[in-house]
Amino acid sequence: MTITRITRLRGCGIFRDFSWPNDLPEFCRYNLIYGWNGTGKTTISRLLRDLERRKAPPIGQATVCIDGNDIRGEDFPSTMLSVRVFNRHFVEESVFPVGGGDVPPIFVFGPESAEKQKEAERLKKERVKADSELGAARSKNQEAERALDKYCQDRARVIKDTLRSPGQNPFNNYNKSDFRDRTSQMVTDDDAASHCLSNTDRETLLVQHKGTPKAKLTEITYQLPDLKQLANITSDLLGKTVVSAAIQSLKDDPELGEWTRSGLGLHKERQTDKCLFCEQPLPGGRLAALEAHFSTEYEKFMREIEEQVDSLQTILTEASELNLPNRAEFYDDMAAEYDAAERALRRAVGEVSSSVKSFIDALEKKKTKAFDALTLEVIVSTVDAELVERLNQIIRKHNQASDVFQDRVSSARDRLALDLIAADIDEFKSLQAAVKQTSADQKAAKDKCDDLAARITEIEKQIIEHRQPAEDLNNDLRQYLGHGELQVAVKDTGYSITRNGEPAEMLSEGEMTAIALLYFLKSLEDRDFDLPNGVVVLDDPVSSLDQNSMFGAFGYIRARSQAAAQVIILTHNFLFFRQILEWFGNLRGQDKRSWKVFMLECAFDAAGRSARIQAIDPLLKDFDSEYHYLFAQLHRMATKPQAASLEAYYHAPSIARRVIETFLAFRVPNMGGHNRLWGQMQTVRFDEEKKSRIYRFIQTHSHRDSIGNPDNDLTLLGESRAVLKDALDFMQVADADHVSRMIARITDSDGAD
């Protein structure tokens, strides 16, 4: 598998909106990309490193074509392309990590590890299967957990909706965790049956839960009389007779007798012997005869009857004045019980009133028949004397409920919650058992994976040998640096870098580049990378190296990477660019035409800079130095017709500066100081106004380290063509022969094109 092209880059660094041009050749086996700093090399190498690490690019939209198939950035984690990328991020993460740390080891196979490797590969296949089984077990466990969680959530919502109320109430915030904890405890205690309520109890508790506080009530002081005893007293009085010298006419006429008795009392009270009715003298002996009829025994008996009637009247009054509480004053769950007790008591009071009235009527009749024995013709009912106490018990129960109202309500809610939990506990048990089983299955699958991983690790410990790569790296360093001071030492599961046997400190930039590059090239032999089928990417691998070191690095790069299925090299160093071109140009056999050269260039418009990949400028291939190329660019812009768009000149100041600096470096090598360029220009006898304009142009619009990053408005570049012509004239004055020869070289190259 190889990279065919970078199909699309949008919002990725300086690549604002790039699509691979239809007329641009695709990548082949060997590829060289040339671009100055700031043209997007880092963005491309970082993108390919994300591809290496199976990681989606963090920003923008990227699409890379692999073997003719477009792969979007978000699909990088699933690609199987084998890539190794050398760039600044590789160095910072793997060789000289930020914050310190050892260098990761390079693993190769020992000479006697073939059989163990086969066993490791077999175990790895088992591990793949075990991982799949673990994934399935984990999914089932998660599904079971979700089912139990949803059940707990639903049941908790039912309990919450049933038992919520205004104010402080723990059930207002009742949740699935509360339900799960209490249900689990009920399962452990195995006491669900004891919490199940009857329909009646459930309704009663629901009423209590919804109740409001009520005032306490006064107990009933009324007592039911003993009707049997009253009946006996009445019967006794009715059965008594008065023995006296009775006057027959009075005896036979009760009304006359009662009238006469009252009159006798008045005559005795007033001590008169005249008739108070007719005022005539009473016949002799008449008062004595009447007193004999209404004897002392008679009067006593009459008083006894009257006293009993008064007593009975008191009982009637008490019964009629009995005041019982209103049922609305009781808590709703006690109302039915109170209703029954009240009805029973009122029936009993009615029986009492009816019987007592009969007793009074009988005694009133007896008063008129004191001389006759009478019988009580009333059927007396049995009255339960405990009825008042039973009603008072309900009142006391109500009052107690008022004293502990909040506790009573809380208890009702708790019992109702337990009843709701117990009602569906079998389903909870089933779901809980499923979770336990799938959890056990998941643990067994994980244990199997862990066991296989441990066995694989143990075998690989026996077959992995990273001491030999360390020795090879040390040989490379000795040859590359020309001394053996720096060494790569094996340390635990990695390497450490030492100088003369001590931990190396204060490494030079060149030493760090050499170590990082040689380590990377050696890592291409790592057993985790298949070089003949892999892609090797190097981004500015000779940065910070002098010319001699660069030639050495080039030799290692060519030797260690040329066997790869694909090589992609990015550089801004023109000398290194020429070396790679020579390498590619001398390829033989089927690789003779399997190489391409590209360049990165920036365009500039109102929206800002935007990079693109394009075919290499022929001038870069034709000339032997960057100076030749830049001089040709400057000459073209100065002598050819004015371009229609100012975008064509946005890099003109930087090109002019590079050309003039290089030109003057040879002309005036001993000029130093803070403003060296202006001092060098002052050694050339040239029009001062034009000289100042050239200096201002390259100082204001150029950037020393990159091409294509003018600081000012693009419209200020309208003077570019005129200033560049002045620059050529300036160089002509300084060294006419040199300029003439350079122009002739350019003319030959343009003619060849």
Side-chain angles (χ1 to χ4, degrees):
M1 298 174 66
T2 58
I3 298 173
T4 307
R5 61 180 173 273
I6 299 176
T7 305
R8 182 76 182 275
L9 293 175
R10 184 173 186 179
C12 298
I14 196 172
F15 288 94
R16 199 165 63 245
D17 192 3
F18 167 75
S19 296
W20 192 273
N22 293 330
D23 59 349
L24 185 64
E26 296 178 340
F27 289 134
C28 53
R29 182 175 184 186
Y30 298 99
N31 305 275
L32 174 60
I33 302 176
Y34 180 77
W36 287 318
N37 289 336
T39 56
K41 296 191 306 300
T42 299
T43 300
I44 292 176
S45 69
R46 185 181 297 159
L47 174 72
L48 298 181
R49 182 154 172 78
D50 288 335
L51 191 62
E52 172 189 351
R53 295 186 298 171
R54 310 285 194 270
K55 177 184 176 183
I59 60 172
Q61 300 175 12
T63 302
V64 176
C65 183
I66 299 174
D67 281 355
N69 298 310
D70 282 340
I71 307 297
R72 295 180 303 173
E74 54 265 36
D75 296 326
F76 281 7
S78 61
T79 184
M80 301 304 293
L81 181 67
S82 183
V83 186
R84 283 293 170 90
V85 178
F86 177 88
N87 63 2
R88 176 168 52 86
H89 301 284
F90 164 81
V91 176
E92 292 175 352
E93 294 172 5
S94 300
V95 186
F96 299 105
V98 177
D102 295 328
V103 183
I106 298 171
F107 295 136
V108 297
F109 295 122
E112 298 178 357
S113 63
E115 291 301 321
K116 291 181 179 178
Q117 184 61 31
K118 289 181 181 178
E119 175 65 10
E121 294 301 326
R122 185 186 66 80
L123 292 176
K124 286 180 180 179
K125 291 180 180 178
E126 287 189 28
R127 173 68 187 275
V128 171
K129 182 179 179 182
D131 284 342
S132 177
E133 292 173 352
L134 174 59
R138 185 179 290 115
S139 296
K140 288 184 179 179
N141 179 246
Q142 291 172 348
E143 184 179 349
E145 282 283 5
R146 284 194 295 269
L148 178 58
D149 186 75
K150 185 178 184 304
Y151 170 80
C152 292
Q153 188 176 22
D154 292 343
R155 296 307 301 164
R157 186 181 298 111
V158 170
I159 292 175
K160 179 179 179 179
D161 292 344
T162 302
L163 301 180
R164 73 167 67 201
S165 67
Q168 294 183 347
N169 176 3
F171 287 97
N172 289 348
N173 299 315
Y174 195 80
N175 57 40
K176 62 182 180 182
S177 296
D178 299 324
F179 176 85
R180 186 167 185 167
D181 291 345
R182 187 60 187 89
T183 309
S184 297
Q185 184 63 45
M186 189 178 291
V187 171
T188 301
D189 297 341
D190 194 23
D191 60 350
S194 66
H195 297 295
C196 292
L197 300 172
S198 66
N199 291 336
T200 301
D201 289 343
R202 188 178 300 109
E203 290 300 324
T204 298
L205 292 173
L206 282 171
V207 170
Q208 291 180 12
H209 146 62
K210 296 176 181 178
T212 56
K214 291 183 179 291
K216 296 174 71 172
L217 301 175
T218 303
E219 292 188 29
I220 306 302
T221 57
Y222 175 76
Q223 291 184 348
L224 287 169
D226 187 344
L227 291 181
K228 290 291 185 182
Q229 182 181 9
L230 292 176
N232 291 336
I233 294 172
T234 302
S235 293
D236 290 345
L237 289 175
L238 292 177
K240 284 184 179 181
T241 57
V242 177
V243 178
S244 62
I247 301 172
Q248 190 63 40
S249 62
L250 295 178
K251 183 179 178 181
D252 293 338
D253 190 345
E255 291 183 3
L256 178 62
E258 183 62 24
W259 181 79
T260 302
R261 178 171 172 267
S262 297
L264 178 63
L266 287 173
H267 283 81
K268 290 175 67 177
E269 180 181 341
R270 298 181 183 183
Q271 296 181 356
T272 179
D273 54 0
K274 287 184 178 182
C275 175
L276 293 176
F277 183 75
C278 64
E279 293 185 350
Q280 297 296 320
L282 293 171
R286 184 60 178 172
L287 287 176
L290 290 173
E291 286 179 350
H293 179 83
F294 299 108
S295 64
T296 302
E297 181 181 354
Y298 180 90
E299 288 298 325
K300 180 180 178 182
F301 182 58
M302 286 296 105
R303 285 196 300 273
E304 186 176 355
I305 290 175
E306 288 173 355
E307 287 175 358
Q308 183 61 23
V309 170
D310 289 342
S311 176
L312 291 174
Q313 287 290 354
T314 299
I315 291 174
L316 276 178
T317 300
E318 289 177 351
S320 64
E321 293 178 350
L322 177 62
N323 187 22
L324 299 181
N326 192 302
R327 78 187 302 274
E329 298 178 85
F330 286 86
Y331 290 105
D332 291 344
D333 58 295
M334 302 178 189
E337 184 181 6
Y338 171 73
D339 285 345
E342 182 197 30
R343 285 194 299 270
L345 179 58
R346 289 196 182 280
R347 281 197 300 270
V349 171
E351 291 288 341
V352 167
S353 297
S354 177
S355 296
V356 168
K357 286 179 181 178
S358 298
F359 297 159
I360 292 174
D361 291 343
L363 291 175
E364 290 293 340
K365 182 178 180 181
K366 178 64 178 179
K367 286 167 65 176
T368 62
K369 294 183 178 291
F371 303 103
D372 300 328
L374 303 177
T375 59
L376 182 62
E377 298 179 354
V378 177
I379 300 175
V380 180
S381 300
T382 302
V383 177
D384 187 354
E386 296 299 319
L387 289 175
V388 174
E389 174 58 22
R390 290 173 190 168
L391 192 144
N392 281 333
Q393 286 178 355
I394 299 172
I395 292 175
R396 286 193 291 272
K397 183 178 177 182
H398 166 87
N399 291 341
Q400 183 181 14
S402 293
D403 290 336
V404 293
F405 177 78
Q406 290 301 331
D407 292 341
R408 180 172 180 266
V409 171
S410 296
S411 176
R413 290 171 180 159
D414 290 342
R415 291 180 64 191
L416 287 167
L418 292 174
D419 174 63
L420 289 168
I421 291 172
D424 296 317
I425 198 166
D426 288 340
E427 185 175 354
F428 178 85
K429 288 179 179 179
S430 176
L431 293 170
Q432 188 183 56
V435 170
K436 289 181 179 178
Q437 182 60 52
T438 55
S439 179
D441 294 342
Q442 179 180 329
K443 184 180 182 303
K446 186 177 184 304
D447 290 344
K448 183 178 179 180
C449 287
D450 292 345
D451 178 65
L452 287 169
R455 291 166 64 187
I456 292 170
T457 300
E458 183 61 30
I459 292 175
E460 288 187 335
K461 282 182 180 179
Q462 298 173 17
I463 65 176
I464 288 174
E465 175 61 54
H466 58 280
R467 191 172 301 277
Q468 184 61 45
E471 295 176 1
D472 294 342
L473 275 172
N474 289 330
N475 290 332
D476 291 343
L477 282 171
R478 277 192 295 271
Q479 295 177 21
Y480 187 91
L481 299 174
H483 60 76
E485 293 179 8
L486 291 176
Q487 293 280 299
V488 173
V490 175
K491 181 181 179 182
D492 299 329
T493 58
Y495 303 127
S496 64
I497 300 172
T498 64
R499 188 191 300 275
N500 296 322
E502 298 295 329
E505 297 180 356
M506 303 299 290
L507 291 170
S508 70
E509 197 167 344
E511 288 173 334
M512 293 175 68
T513 300
I515 293 171
L517 178 60
L518 292 174
Y519 172 81
F520 173 79
L521 294 174
K522 189 62 182 177
S523 72
L524 299 181
E525 300 175 12
D526 192 292
R527 66 180 181 85
D528 288 336
F529 182 65
D530 184 8
L531 182 62
N533 295 303
V535 178
V536 176
V537 180
L538 297 109
D539 178 17
D540 270 336
V542 296
S543 177
S544 304
L545 295 180
D546 57 31
Q547 186 168 322
N548 290 333
S549 297
M550 184 171 58
F551 281 114
F554 166 72
Y556 279 99
I557 291 171
R558 181 174 59 182
R560 301 287 172 82
S561 66
Q562 63 183 354
Q566 188 175 42
V567 178
I568 300 175
I569 300 175
L570 302 98
T571 185
H572 76 286
N573 187 297
F574 189 81
L575 183 57
F576 185 65
F577 169 78
R578 296 300 305 179
Q579 287 180 297
I580 301 299
L581 270 183
E582 184 178 358
W583 168 23
F584 289 177
N586 291 321
L587 291 170
R588 295 291 181 265
Q590 61 182 5
D591 291 333
K592 186 173 183 179
R593 298 185 181 276
S594 296
W595 62 279
K596 291 287 186 296
V597 185
F598 305 87
M599 71 179 296
L600 292 167
E601 190 169 83
C602 286
F604 191 92
D605 55 26
R609 289 190 303 147
S610 180
R612 60 176 179 262
I613 305 171
Q614 63 185 38
I616 193 71
D617 190 317
L619 288 174
L620 282 169
K621 295 174 64 177
D622 291 343
F623 295 123
D624 296 328
S625 72
E626 188 178 35
Y627 175 73
H628 285 78
Y629 169 67
L630 294 177
F631 186 93
Q633 291 283 73
L634 186 150
H635 184 268
R636 285 176 176 175
M637 287 188 288
T639 58
K640 289 188 177 182
Q642 176 78 36
S645 172
L646 292 180
E647 295 177 18
Y649 298 106
Y650 85 94
H651 57 294
S654 293
I655 291 176
R657 181 179 190 121
R658 294 279 284 272
V659 170
I660 292 176
E661 282 183 336
T662 304
F663 173 76
L664 291 174
F666 288 96
R667 292 284 304 167
V668 192
N670 59 345
M671 179 65 68
H674 175 69
N675 199 358
R676 184 177 66 175
L677 178 59
W678 179 247
Q680 290 172 322
M681 292 179 68
Q682 287 297 89
T683 64
V684 179
R685 292 181 179 276
F686 188 67
D687 183 280
E688 288 298 322
E689 183 178 346
K690 291 183 178 180
K691 190 189 302 182
S692 296
R693 185 165 66 158
I694 295 169
Y695 182 74
R696 178 181 62 82
F697 180 75
I698 62 179
Q699 283 291 90
T700 303
H701 300 299
S702 69
H703 188 284
R704 184 178 300 274
D705 296 325
S706 66
I707 296 297
N709 191 24
D711 297 323
N712 293 347
D713 192 336
L714 190 65
T715 59
L716 298 178
L717 299 179
E719 63 181 352
S720 293
R721 188 168 179 273
V723 176
L724 294 178
K725 189 175 184 306
D726 290 342
L728 282 175
D729 292 342
F730 171 81
M731 296 171 66
Q732 181 77 27
V733 170
D735 191 339
D737 183 62
H738 169 74
V739 173
S740 297
R741 290 177 180 273
M742 289 294 294
I743 293 174
R745 178 71 176 88
I746 294 169
T747 304
D748 291 342
S749 177
D750 289 344
D753 293 340

